[in-house]
């Protein structure tokens, strides 16, 4: 019985990974239709980023509204911040290692656009620096939440300007079909458009229904993820913050990982690397700060206490340090990003996780 009890939290985390992966596929399918008239840059900064970052946002929502314990926002912070480091190191690394050309042949290196890379790095570092400054205070305030959301707004504006500058013509929306797997498999993989609307191209009402159902699954999955994180911390005898930082962040990053690897295997290297960077900007601003802003307004308060300890200090500086190292690795090698860069990024992630375990766990 003890063995089952000890394994249960980790099974919950694995199960939540499965739920999040398929629910986010469905979310992005419907959201792509709803954002079909957005310029490409704005669509990427809103529809795509929200789709792959919904788990992090829902974890914050779960800790604040479902568990009803504001102190658990530190677990959510661990998930969000750990996701940023996982996204920055592991996802680009695996994308590079698994990259193929347009003919499906494995490649030894990829090439990136320096201008795009600089833009995304600038905004993710701006967002993360703002976050670590705010986390240095004894309270996280309503106005800090507002500032983080404003940073993301300016990032979206920057993307919009770039999109308009380089737009070659009007983008035509293409329905992103999810294969019909049969009634049972459609049900357990949340292929709602096939289940309820015969897999027809979207109109407004079906898109809203599918989006709402996907959000419901993602929200429930995030609740299970938080339960698993809290349970795993108890089993391992480590702080809940650390469990969120490692296990929660890896689980919530599954949609980002799958999306980037798919892009890399289609030869779309820019998207494979840009997606986790843009997602990190969203995670450290809107995904973390928007639920907090709503919580402040609903409860009529303007601040939330932060416990200043070693773990929070380490997290603050490691976020920017790791992101800076990732940025330098990619920028210095953007013309030819080889597997050696990927191995360096993976080694950096595991070294960081080990250091955090020794110093926090």
């Amino acid at each position: 019985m003890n063995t089952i009890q000890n394994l249960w939290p980790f099974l919950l985390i694995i199960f939540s990974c499965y739920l999040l992966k398929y629910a986010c596929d469905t979310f992005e399918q419907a959201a792509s239709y709803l954002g079909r008239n957005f310029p490409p840059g704005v669509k990427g900064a809103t529809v795509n980023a929200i789709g792959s970052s919904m788990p992090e946002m829902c974890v914050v929502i779960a800790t604040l509204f479902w568990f009803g314990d504001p102190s658990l926002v530190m677990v959510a912070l661990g998930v969000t911040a750990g996701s940023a480091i996982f996204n920055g190191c592991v996802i680009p690394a695996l994308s590079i290692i698994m990259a193929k050309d347009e003919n499906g042949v494995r490649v030894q290196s990829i090439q990136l656009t320096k201008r795009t890379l600089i833009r995304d790095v600038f905004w993710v570092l701006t967002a993360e620096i703002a976050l670590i400054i705010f986390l240095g205070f004894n309270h996280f305030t309503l106005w800090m939440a507002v500032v983080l959301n404003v940073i993301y707004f300016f990032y979206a504006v920057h993307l919009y300007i770039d999109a308009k500058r380089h737009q070659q013509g009007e983008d035509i929306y293409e329905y992103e079909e999810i294969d019909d797997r049969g009634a049972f498999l459609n049900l357990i993989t949340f292929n709602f458009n096939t289940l309820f609307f015969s897999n027809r191209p979207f109109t407004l009402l079906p898109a809203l229904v599918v989006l709402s159902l996907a959000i419901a699954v993602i929200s429930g999955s995030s609740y299970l993820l938080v339960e698993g994180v809290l349970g795993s911390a108890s089993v391992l005898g480590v702080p809940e913050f650390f469990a969120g930082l490692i296990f929660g962040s890896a689980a919530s990053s599954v949609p980002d990982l799958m999306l980037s690897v798919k892009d890399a295997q289609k030869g779309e290297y820019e998207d494979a690397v840009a997606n986790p960077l843009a997602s990190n900007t969203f995670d450290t601003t809107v995904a973390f700060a928007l639920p907090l802003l709503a919580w402040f307004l609903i409860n009529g308060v303007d601040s939330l206490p932060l416990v200043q300890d070693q773990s929070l200090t380490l997290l603050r500086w490691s976020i920017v340090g790791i992101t800076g190292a990732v940025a330098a690795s990619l920028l210095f090698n953007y013309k030819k990003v080889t597997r050696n860069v990927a191995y360096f990024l993976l080694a950096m992630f595991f070294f960081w996780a080990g250091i955090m375990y020794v110093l926090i766990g």
Side-chain angles (χ1 to χ4, degrees):
M1 181 63 70
N2 286 337
T3 301
I4 296 176
Q5 289 177 340
N6 289 340
L7 286 176
W8 181 246
F10 301 99
L11 293 176
L12 277 180
I13 292 173
I14 293 171
F15 184 51
S16 68
C17 286
Y18 165 83
L19 296 176
L20 290 170
K21 190 274 179 199
Y22 286 107
C24 285
D25 283 348
T26 300
F27 179 98
E28 289 172 1
Q29 182 195 36
S32 291
Y33 170 78
L34 296 174
R36 65 195 181 282
N37 294 323
F38 291 179
V42 174
K43 181 180 177 183
T46 54
V47 173
N48 295 345
I50 291 171
S52 59
S53 296
M54 275 296 290
E56 288 85 355
M57 179 180 280
C58 285
V59 165
V60 181
I61 293 171
T63 58
L64 289 172
F65 295 99
W66 291 11
F67 285 84
D69 183 357
S71 66
L72 288 180
V73 77
M74 291 303 296
V75 175
L77 177 62
V79 171
T80 303
S83 177
I85 294 176
F86 184 94
N87 287 357
C89 293
V90 177
I91 294 179
L94 293 182
S95 297
I96 295 165
I97 292 170
M98 302 181 72
K100 298 179 180 180
D101 61 20
E102 295 177 353
N103 298 316
V105 179
R106 190 68 61 87
V107 297
Q108 298 301 312
S109 65
I110 66 174
Q111 183 174 347
L112 302 172
T113 302
K114 187 176 182 180
R115 178 188 177 89
T116 301
L117 199 55
I118 290 174
R119 179 197 66 198
D120 291 336
V121 164
F122 170 80
W123 284 108
V124 73
L125 283 174
T126 298
E128 291 179 354
I129 289 171
L131 180 62
I132 69 164
I133 290 173
F134 294 157
L135 294 179
F137 292 86
N138 292 324
H139 288 78
F140 190 91
T141 68
L142 181 149
W143 289 108
M144 292 176 183
V146 170
V147 169
L148 289 175
N149 282 285
V150 168
I151 287 173
Y152 189 79
F153 170 77
F154 281 117
Y155 173 51
V157 170
H158 191 166
L159 287 171
Y160 175 82
I161 293 171
D162 275 4
K164 298 298 284 186
R165 181 185 298 130
H166 297 97
Q167 197 167 1
Q168 299 298 320
E170 184 177 353
D171 281 355
I172 300 175
Y173 167 73
E174 294 183 7
Y175 171 57
E176 298 179 10
E177 182 176 348
I178 297 176
D179 293 337
D180 186 345
R181 306 180 178 101
F184 178 70
L185 289 178
N186 284 335
L187 179 62
I188 65 173
T189 57
F190 316 120
N191 190 0
F192 296 125
N193 192 41
T194 299
L195 280 172
F196 301 123
F197 303 106
S198 303
N199 206 17
R200 292 191 297 269
F202 281 119
T203 55
L204 180 60
L205 181 59
L208 290 174
V209 171
V210 169
L211 191 77
S212 299
L213 291 172
I215 290 174
V217 175
I218 293 170
S219 299
S221 307
S222 300
Y223 180 88
L224 294 179
L225 177 58
V226 175
E227 287 277 16
V229 166
L230 297 177
S232 67
S234 177
V235 170
L236 295 174
V238 298
E240 294 171 346
F241 173 78
F242 176 79
L245 196 63
I246 302 300
F247 301 120
S249 64
S252 67
S253 295
V254 166
D256 289 299
L257 176 61
M258 299 299 293
L259 182 61
S260 285
V261 169
K262 285 179 183 177
D263 285 339
Q265 291 180 329
K266 292 187 293 185
E268 299 172 359
Y269 312 134
E270 288 291 348
D271 291 335
V273 175
N275 172 61
L277 293 177
S279 183
N280 279 359
T281 306
F282 185 89
D283 286 347
T284 52
T285 54
V286 178
F288 180 66
L290 187 59
L292 272 169
L293 181 59
W295 186 84
F296 286 141
L297 295 174
I298 290 171
N299 290 279
V301 297
D302 60 5
S303 66
L304 185 68
L306 291 175
V307 178
Q308 295 297 329
D309 58 13
Q310 181 188 41
S311 61
L312 186 57
T313 302
L314 283 171
L315 177 66
R316 290 170 59 210
W317 293 108
S318 67
I319 291 174
V320 174
I322 291 289
T323 302
V326 171
S329 300
L330 296 175
L331 284 169
F332 289 144
N333 299 280
Y334 73 95
K335 291 183 178 180
K336 189 177 182 181
V337 187
T338 65
R339 293 186 183 183
N340 287 335
V341 175
Y343 298 142
F344 170 74
L345 296 180
L346 288 174
M348 185 164 55
F349 174 79
F350 287 110
F351 177 76
W352 167 82
I355 292 295
M356 296 299 285
Y357 176 77
V358 170
L359 296 180
I360 297 177

